[in-house]
Amino acid sequence: MKSLEDITKSLSEERPASWDALPDIDLYMDQVLGYMRRQLYSSRPESNVTAAMINNYIRSGILPRTSGKKYSRGHIARLTTICVLKQVLSVGDISLLIKLFPPETLHQVYETYREVLDGELTSVAENVPEEDGTLILADAIVRFAVTSYANKVAAEHLIDMVKEQMCDEKEKDQKHKK
């Protein structure tokens, strides 16, 4: 069983690889699955990425098709980001979000994602209780879960706002064409 110290250390130190540390050679599916187990940190095996998930992301358009059967550094960066976002957002919302960023900014978007994740995990690590009494842990669990919920609600409102702005822009474009 992990101790609170182990959990705090994990939250403080474990991070996805930087862009420059991502593989610079293309990987086959089984290599990607193994690599992703090291990219994503969860105490639960059901959080592992599967080939079916990757294929679904490709079908839905949030992960680009491969050239041949190999996945590039860009695929790994995008997949890492998708897997974290999927914990909070729907695949449709992730698809919309990804389309907002030009493909040539992938390196920058990935590094920004890592910086934000680093800050949030560091903050969470600082709020892990130092004592492991059942009521203390239950209180911390509720606080972490409610904070997650509040952040999800805010993200959903912002996505809805972006969708409305996109619809308004589309309507304006259609009026200008007439």
Side-chain angles (χ1 to χ4, degrees), residues 2 10 30 40 44 54 57 66-67 88 93 107 115 121-122 150 157:
K2 282 188 173 185
S10 174
D30 60 331
L40 304 170
R44 308 232 168 131
I54 293 173
Y57 297 152
T66 61
S67 56
V88 179
D93 286 347
H107 171 245
E115 288 173 23
L121 288 172
T122 299
H157 282 299

Side-chain angles (χ1 to χ4, degrees), residues 81 101 105-119:
T81 307
F101 297 103
T105 65
L106 179 60
H107 171 245
Q108 178 186 355
V109 170
Y110 179 73
E111 285 302 326
T112 300
Y113 149 80
R114 287 185 64 251
E115 288 173 23
V116 172
L117 182 63
D118 177 59

Side-chain angles (χ1 to χ4, degrees), residues 74-173:
H75 284 100
I76 301 296
R78 191 175 282 206
L79 185 57
T80 300
T81 307
I82 290 167
C83 288
V84 170
L85 293 175
K86 188 172 174 278
Q87 303 304 310
V88 179
L89 301 175
S90 70
V91 171
D93 286 347
I94 295 169
S95 179
L96 172 78
L97 187 59
I98 286 174
K99 288 175 185 171
L100 297 176
F101 297 103
E104 62 273 8
T105 65
L106 179 60
H107 171 245
Q108 178 186 355
V109 170
Y110 179 73
E111 285 302 326
T112 300
Y113 149 80
R114 287 185 64 251
E115 288 173 23
V116 172
L117 182 63
D118 177 59
E120 291 303 315
L121 288 172
T122 299
S123 175
V124 167
E126 292 169 357
N127 289 299
V128 170
E130 295 179 10
E131 299 175 38
D132 63 359
T134 302
L135 287 177
I136 293 170
L137 295 179
D139 181 64
I141 292 165
V142 168
R143 289 176 187 280
F144 287 133
V146 170
T147 300
S148 295
Y149 172 74
N151 285 320
K152 177 183 178 178
V153 168
E156 289 172 341
H157 282 299
L158 294 174
I159 287 171
D160 292 344
M161 184 180 221
V162 167
K163 286 178 183 176
E164 287 177 26
Q165 289 173 350
M166 291 173 76
C167 284
D168 290 347
E169 289 172 12
K170 191 175 181 178
E171 286 177 14
K172 285 180 187 176
D173 286 346

Side-chain angles (χ1 to χ4, degrees), residues 35-55:
Y35 190 81
M36 290 306 296
R37 281 194 277 292
R38 295 185 301 275
Q39 274 290 88
L40 304 170
Y41 303 102
S42 177
S43 63
R44 308 232 168 131
E46 64 267 18
S47 296
N48 287 340
V49 178
T50 65
M53 290 167 70
I54 293 173
N55 290 330

